[in-house]
Amino acid sequence: MFGRTALMDQTVQHVSRYMAPDDRGNDSWQEDPPVDVEHCSVQPLDSVEYLSSASDQVVSRWQFFGPPGLDLKATDLIRADGKEYEIDGQPGINRAVSPLLAHTSAVLKEVTG
């Protein structure tokens, strides 16, 4: 029942990441193959521009809403609309008395520049 609204109309890709030894035995990020997740929504929150003599960066944050059984971790990635976002902080599972209102939420971060 969750996500069957006009607001939850995006399909995103969930990429599970974890630390594991690479071919040389060094710990590095490993990624599982992306999994399509329907009935999601990625909405803008804020953006901050950092200007310095070394580089210019823009850090944008987005609010993610997805199905309650997503098993999203702070190390995972979300791909939506041709962009890749990192999870910023710990994702949350929002429980409710109605299955329509239960969902997974997370703040996403995109760094450019």
Side-chain angles (χ1 to χ4, degrees):
M1 182 183 292
F2 171 81
R4 307 253 185 244
T5 71
L7 295 175
M8 307 297 278
D9 63 347
Q10 288 179 276
T11 297
V12 304
Q13 289 188 319
H14 172 212
V15 181
S16 242
R17 290 193 319 168
Y18 54 92
M19 288 296 263
D22 61 14
D23 342 352
R24 297 180 178 184
N26 300 315
D27 279 344
S28 65
W29 285 114
Q30 306 294 317
E31 295 181 1
D32 285 340
V35 175
D36 287 346
V37 181
E38 296 179 325
H39 308 297
C40 296
S41 182
V42 177
Q43 301 295 321
L45 285 176
D46 62 16
S47 258
V48 177
E49 186 174 14
Y50 297 98
L51 304 174
S52 72
S53 58
S55 69
D56 298 339
Q57 283 189 329
V58 175
V59 177
S60 301
R61 287 188 170 70
W62 303 76
Q63 183 67 53
F64 170 78
F65 300 99
L70 190 53
D71 191 28
L72 200 59
K73 297 181 298 300
T75 54
D76 293 349
L77 301 172
I78 294 290
R79 294 182 183 148
D81 300 326
K83 296 182 181 183
E84 185 170 88
Y85 304 96
E86 298 176 15
I87 307 297
D88 191 17
Q90 204 60 263
I93 299 186
N94 300 282
R95 293 173 173 79
V97 283
S98 165
L100 182 64
L101 299 175
H103 64 281
T104 299
S105 67
V107 174
L108 306 178
K109 178 173 69 173
E110 174 192 28
V111 179
T112 55

